[in-house]
Amino acid sequence: MILDREQCIDLVKIVSKSGIDVFELRSGCFELIFDRHEIAGSTDEDYRYESGQFAVEVLSPVLGMCRITPSDDAPPYVQAGQAVSEHDIICSIDVLEKRFDVPAGTRGIIMKLYTRSGELVEYKQPLAVIQTV
Amino acid sequence: MEVNHVSVHGKMRRMMVANRGEIAVRIIRACREMGIETVVAVSEADRESLPARLADRVVCIGPPPPLKSYLNIDAIITAALGTHCNGIHPGYGFLAERPDLPKGCSRHGLIFVGPSAKNILQMGDKLYARKMAIESGVPVIPGSELVRHLDEARGAALKVGYPVLLKAAGGGGGKGMKIAWNEDELNSTFNIASAEARVAFGDNRIYLEQYIPNARHIEIQIIGDSKGNVVHCFERDCSLQRRYQKILEEAPSTAITNELREIIVSSAVTIARHIGYESVGTVEFILNCDNGSFFFLEMNTRIQVEHPVTEIITGVDLVKEQIRIASGESLSIDQADIKLKGHAIECRINAESASSDFMPCPGTIKEWTPPVEKGVRVDSHCYSGYVVPPYYDSLMAKVITEGKTREDAIKKMDNALKNFIVTGVDTTIPFHQFILCRDEFRAGKVNTRWIEETIMKEYASTADAACKS
């Protein structure tokens, strides 16, 4: 199954409005999971989920070591609760000497950041949740 | 050839298994028995694989295409460092013979379970390997230096004598290899061979060797350690091949006498000593069945698919020995300890339809019930419900039988294949059964062309008449 980004967003919008709590679509290597509990079950530190909106997970494009700051003494790229636009960097992934900046990919509010600097993140591991606006 | 990278040695604590399929399972088994933790690096297509279930930890390194996962050296080294592994085992295929992996391991303080980058480079260049054999006093097939264009190839072929084999200098395994029986065929195949060599190895250099039509493929398993000790574990006969890919292997060979065996194994050991080889490796030879002469073919600097037949007839655990040597230990065995005992046969069971030109058949295995009889070993990563992915080679299992005699090993293989139940995907089991019941095979009267020139034709016309007796 091949769905482009816009089709995925349309699908999530439909599911979001339907009142379904959990929606999973799997076909071969394609996986789309919508789970309202994941968002509702966020910790106190997370930004509060606003009902009626939907959220997307930002997945790691590569395996590597995560960095949530551009350098050791710099502030984090983003924090929970912060508004981001599509091209804002939310973290970077180091693969030996190469660095891959990970953009938000969508406009919205950072609901949760899953990783810390120095952690190994796998390919397609969730890095953050963004409530889209 | 100057390469200065110091190999890292030390006690292995946690191993990154940088491979998939049955060899990943084999490495995990050896590590478990040695008390070494394992982390397996998988592509997205292999998250549910048996190695992923067996390893202590799994990390997904990339999407299914090998270039983005199993061939991604940076991702594999990062995964090893991020999971606190102190060594990487590359298995066979993928990165096993890429010198950049041992170099990368060396730079990041990781133990590479394999030979040095220098050894890999030396033997990866097939012309350089020939030079090493010549320096060791081992016969090589009459051949040419590099031929840069068709005119040079024509001249070289006249000197060598038709038929000639066009071979890629940048790598072996039959890729880019073409036979030319006369000048017309040379004219039509030279550019194809060169183009295939470029695709396979990124190197279009070609050289010529005399083609020996009635030949057996004999390879010698050797093991060298960092103290300069080298031993051999006798030969494997891998003459049953289709398009230069091995189908069925056995040890010992029916084609060599004890006297000839002594000469060939000592030739292999001499080459390994000459290059200071450190790890398990295989020195391949071509035996001319018409006159008993033998020639160095190439050296493979990795653990090979067919290593179990050697383990059966010698009792040496090659993977464990390889790990010990990488850790800096000396060989745990002397040559005098290695005795040839009994006979072993291996059949490679692929998810392929032999009656449809060996078309791969990926898909879901509905039932997987391997044979369990005494004297039968099955190395596999498959299980009922496993989905054979379309992205990789189609090897599903290696069935290895052990007998006191060759006849005994064949009989056990016959039974094992009859009792091996696989449904949901096509397999090459019927093709192996077809081979096993042939008089020429039973009599050991085969050569490297037998499968393609005799068996393929007969099998195509009697595809569903596999031996059922």
Side-chain angles (χ1 to χ4, degrees):
Chain A
M1 173 175 290
I2 298 172
L3 290 181
D4 64 26
R5 191 183 133 73
E6 292 309 314
Q7 288 171 318
C8 285
I9 290 174
D10 287 346
L11 187 58
V12 174
K13 275 182 183 168
I14 293 164
V15 175
S16 177
K17 284 178 186 167
S18 73
I20 296 170
D21 283 341
V22 180
F23 174 83
E24 295 188 8
L25 177 63
R26 294 175 207 270
S27 175
C29 294
F30 179 86
E31 246 180 44
L32 191 149
I33 302 168
F34 176 94
D35 190 341
R36 242 182 255 283
H37 305 110
E38 285 281 318
I39 305 298
S42 301
T43 64
D44 293 344
E45 295 166 15
D46 302 327
Y47 192 69
R48 196 168 159 274
Y49 176 71
E50 208 172 299
S51 68
Q53 299 295 317
F54 69 92
V56 293
E57 273 187 332
V58 182
L59 305 180
S60 179
V62 290
L63 170 140
M65 307 305 287
C66 185
R67 292 188 69 100
I68 61 164
T69 60
S71 60
D72 289 345
D73 51 357
Y77 288 108
V78 290
Q79 288 180 315
Q82 186 179 327
V84 290
S85 62
E86 200 173 342
H87 300 293
D88 285 345
I89 295 166
I90 59 161
C91 66
S92 56
I93 311 289
D94 288 352
V95 186
L96 298 186
E97 287 83 23
K98 296 187 197 108
R99 178 164 294 184
F100 296 86
D101 290 332
V102 182
T106 187
R107 209 155 60 84
I109 308 292
I110 301 279
M111 303 288 291
K112 185 176 174 69
L113 287 164
Y114 287 118
T115 56
R116 286 190 291 247
S117 280
E119 270 185 7
L120 178 76
V121 291
E122 297 181 33
Y123 172 65
K124 283 201 178 171
Q125 183 174 323
L127 301 170
V129 180
I130 298 173
Q131 181 183 292
T132 60
V133 291
Chain B
M1 191 168 290
E2 287 301 319
V3 184
N4 292 313
H5 281 275
V6 179
S7 298
V8 175
H9 294 303
K11 185 172 169 50
M12 193 72 74
R13 289 178 288 97
R14 185 179 294 168
M15 180 88 83
M16 163 65 59
V17 181
N19 213 303
R20 63 177 305 281
E22 68 84 22
I23 193 63
V25 174
R26 173 73 186 89
I27 296 163
I28 291 168
R29 174 161 72 84
C31 288
R32 277 187 177 182
E33 288 171 9
M34 296 172 83
I36 299 166
E37 292 178 24
T38 51
V39 179
V40 67
V42 297
S43 79
E44 213 179 1
D46 283 333
R47 282 184 194 269
E48 301 301 323
S49 67
L50 191 58
R53 293 179 179 195
L54 293 174
D56 295 301
R57 186 171 168 187
V58 185
V59 284
C60 183
I61 50 169
L67 273 174
K68 294 183 174 175
S69 48
Y70 295 107
L71 291 171
N72 186 341
I73 293 178
D74 286 357
I76 284 165
I77 290 178
T78 304
L81 295 171
T83 52
H84 309 290
C85 291
N86 68 329
I88 297 181
H89 198 306
Y92 53 69
F94 294 126
L95 296 172
E97 289 171 284
R98 298 279 183 94
D100 286 346
L101 184 58
K103 283 183 200 170
C105 285
S106 168
R107 268 199 299 277
H108 292 91
L110 294 165
I111 300 166
F112 174 72
V113 184
S116 64
K118 182 181 175 183
N119 281 164
I120 294 175
L121 270 168
Q122 284 174 321
M123 293 293 125
D125 184 325
K126 299 305 166 188
L127 279 171
Y128 193 89
R130 269 172 71 91
K131 189 175 161 219
M132 292 297 100
I134 293 165
E135 283 179 16
S136 306
V138 175
V140 297
I141 303 173
S144 71
E145 294 295 316
L146 281 180
V147 287
R148 285 167 295 182
H149 44 74
L150 185 55
D151 279 347
E152 268 189 17
R154 285 198 201 105
L158 285 176
K159 279 187 199 160
V160 171
Y162 286 101
V164 292
L165 207 50
L166 286 78
K167 296 180 84 173
K175 289 167 188 152
M177 201 139 88
K178 298 280 171 205
I179 302 167
W181 290 84
N182 50 50
E183 193 167 300
D184 284 347
E185 286 189 11
L186 181 67
N187 292 342
S188 60
T189 53
F190 182 81
N191 287 335
I192 298 169
S194 182
E196 280 186 15
R198 182 186 288 281
V199 170
F201 308 111
D203 177 354
N204 66 348
R205 294 176 306 147
I206 293 283
Y207 67 101
L208 304 185
E209 271 182 359
Q210 194 180 76
Y211 178 62
I212 300 169
N214 187 14
R216 295 282 278 250
H217 176 114
I218 308 288
E219 58 183 36
I220 309 298
Q221 178 69 56
I222 59 99
I223 321 173
D225 67 18
S226 59
K227 317 291 188 298
N229 304 306
V230 179
V231 296
H232 71 81
C233 294
F234 300 99
E235 81 278 7
R236 295 185 285 262
D237 190 323
C238 311
S239 301
L240 298 195
Q241 304 180 359
R242 175 183 166 271
R243 297 184 186 166
Y244 307 111
Q245 299 305 308
K246 295 162 188 167
I247 286 179
L248 181 152
E249 303 95 344
E250 61 183 303
S253 171
T254 56
I256 58 173
T257 59
N258 284 337
E259 293 73 27
L260 187 55
R261 176 174 295 119
E262 275 304 309
I263 299 168
I264 298 181
V265 296
S266 59
S267 297
V269 168
T270 306
I271 292 172
R273 281 216 176 94
H274 181 63
I275 63 166
Y277 192 77
E278 191 184 317
S279 189
V280 300
T282 300
V283 186
E284 296 188 343
F285 295 92
I286 278 289
L287 175 70
N288 186 337
C289 298
D290 291 333
N291 59 21
S293 57
F294 72 93
F295 305 98
F296 169 80
L297 193 61
E298 63 180 35
M299 182 170 182
N300 296 320
T301 54
R302 59 171 190 266
I303 187 81
Q304 294 213 207
V305 177
E306 60 271 25
H307 75 273
V309 291
T310 299
E311 294 186 322
I312 298 285
I313 61 154
T314 61
V316 176
D317 187 317
L318 293 167
V319 178
K320 283 188 191 170
E321 207 62 38
Q322 187 185 25
I323 294 169
R324 282 192 206 102
I325 289 164
S327 304
E329 292 179 35
S330 301
L331 272 163
S332 70
I333 35 172
D334 291 326
Q335 189 64 67
D337 301 330
I338 305 169
K339 308 273 190 225
L340 197 163
K341 191 181 169 199
H343 198 97
I345 297 178
E346 174 182 280
C347 289
R348 299 188 188 195
I349 310 302
N350 294 344
E352 292 172 356
S353 170
S355 53
S356 304
D357 199 28
F358 290 82
M359 177 88 78
C361 296
T364 304
I365 299 173
K366 286 184 184 151
E367 183 180 351
W368 179 264
T369 308
V372 294
E373 294 83 0
K374 192 179 170 201
V376 180
R377 167 175 161 181
V378 180
D379 282 15
S380 176
H381 60 291
C382 293
Y383 53 85
S384 297
Y386 174 68
V387 180
V388 179
Y391 312 103
Y392 314 109
D393 73 61
S394 51
L395 181 65
M396 289 199 293
K398 302 183 306 201
V399 179
I400 309 106
T401 57
E402 171 183 9
K404 284 181 182 160
T405 61
R406 184 168 185 266
E407 291 66 35
D408 189 19
I410 293 172
K411 194 175 165 194
K412 282 180 178 158
M413 184 64 80
D414 253 340
N415 278 328
L417 297 185
K418 267 181 209 148
N419 295 330
F420 198 163
I421 303 168
V422 186
T423 63
V425 294
D426 286 342
T427 79
T428 51
I429 291 174
F431 186 70
H432 283 287
Q433 290 175 309
F434 190 77
I435 293 170
L436 289 176
C437 68
R438 291 299 304 256
D439 290 343
E440 301 99 306
F441 174 73
R442 298 229 169 200
K445 302 286 182 197
V446 295
N447 62 26
T448 51
R449 297 163 67 198
W450 184 65
I451 290 283
E452 287 199 40
E453 295 189 356
T454 305
I455 290 298
M456 291 304 297
K457 285 173 193 157
E458 292 180 14
Y459 189 75
S461 58
T462 54
D464 54 357
C467 276
K468 288 177 181 164
S469 60

